[in-house]
Amino acid sequence: MYLKLLGACLTVAGTGALGFYLGNRYLQRVRDLERLINLLNFLKTEIRYKATPLPEIFAKMANSEEGTVAKLFEIKDRTLPVNQGLKKALAEGFSQTALLKREQEILLAFAEKIGISDLREQENLLNYTCEQLKLVLAESRQEAEKNVKLVNYLGVLVGAFLVLLFF
């Protein structure tokens, strides 16, 4: 009797935890996008007003307090050109973030063009990339508002259904 009760509690707790984990992924994506936009604004400021070289800016960005998103800009291979090193760093770091394929494509397109044009073109590229990410952020916020509670409740309800079905 007690083992059945313990099994039922563990089932509901396990599926509930899974639901909360999946719900948290929606929220983490929103936070990661906000951090990413902040980092790109920092990059824009450093390029425009301080004229800091890109490798130094990316090193500052990678060491900032923006969490796993900042590690996307950690260029480990200094022998490559900046844009190729950034593409490699982005490809390696995406698995550690909650960002989806769409954001990855935006950033890889950004990485392809950064550092190979003049100051004005780089500012335009940064503005364009930030605008694209802001649109994705707005969609992500709407998705999170709609789905977080649903996924959380669904996790608990699936556990309760399994308990009713098997016990």
Side-chain angles (χ1 to χ4, degrees):
M1 173 71 177
Y2 289 114
L3 285 176
K4 277 189 173 184
L5 184 61
L6 178 64
C9 289
L10 287 176
T11 301
V12 172
T15 58
L18 180 63
F20 280 94
Y21 170 76
L22 294 174
N24 189 42
R25 291 292 290 177
Y26 284 105
L27 298 174
Q28 186 62 41
R29 181 176 176 224
V30 170
R31 285 190 293 269
D32 283 354
L33 282 168
E34 289 170 345
R35 290 175 178 152
L36 186 57
I37 291 169
N38 287 341
L39 285 169
L40 290 177
N41 284 329
F42 171 77
L43 176 62
K44 191 185 328 180
T45 303
E46 287 286 320
I47 288 173
R48 184 174 201 180
Y49 297 112
K50 293 185 179 181
T52 309
L54 284 175
E56 288 179 34
I57 299 172
F58 289 137
K60 284 181 188 178
M61 290 168 66
N63 294 325
S64 71
E65 297 178 12
E66 296 291 340
T68 56
V69 175
K71 298 300 178 197
L72 289 174
F73 296 97
E74 186 175 15
I75 300 174
K76 295 175 184 165
D77 190 358
R78 302 276 183 206
T79 60
L80 294 173
V82 174
N83 60 343
Q84 290 179 1
L86 181 59
K87 281 173 43 178
K88 187 175 179 182
L90 289 171
E92 291 172 359
F94 268 113
S95 62
Q96 299 169 358
T97 66
L99 300 174
L100 300 179
K101 187 78 171 166
R102 183 174 175 192
E103 294 90 49
Q104 184 178 6
E105 291 169 358
I106 292 170
L107 286 176
L108 287 174
F110 163 77
E112 231 173 81
K113 296 176 183 163
I114 192 73
I116 58 172
S117 58
D118 64 350
L119 177 66
R120 189 169 147 220
E121 288 297 317
Q122 288 186 38
E123 283 183 39
N124 290 339
L125 175 65
L126 280 163
N127 289 333
Y128 177 72
T129 304
C130 283
E131 288 304 314
Q132 284 185 309
L133 290 173
K134 285 177 185 177
L135 292 173
V136 171
L137 176 61
E139 291 172 10
S140 178
R141 281 187 178 138
Q142 287 177 343
E143 212 175 291
E145 282 179 25
K146 185 174 79 172
N147 293 333
V148 169
K149 285 184 181 178
L150 174 72
V151 173
N152 290 345
Y153 291 140
L154 194 59
V156 174
L157 289 175
V158 165
F161 176 73
L162 289 173
V163 166
L164 290 174
L165 186 67
F166 294 116
F167 294 101

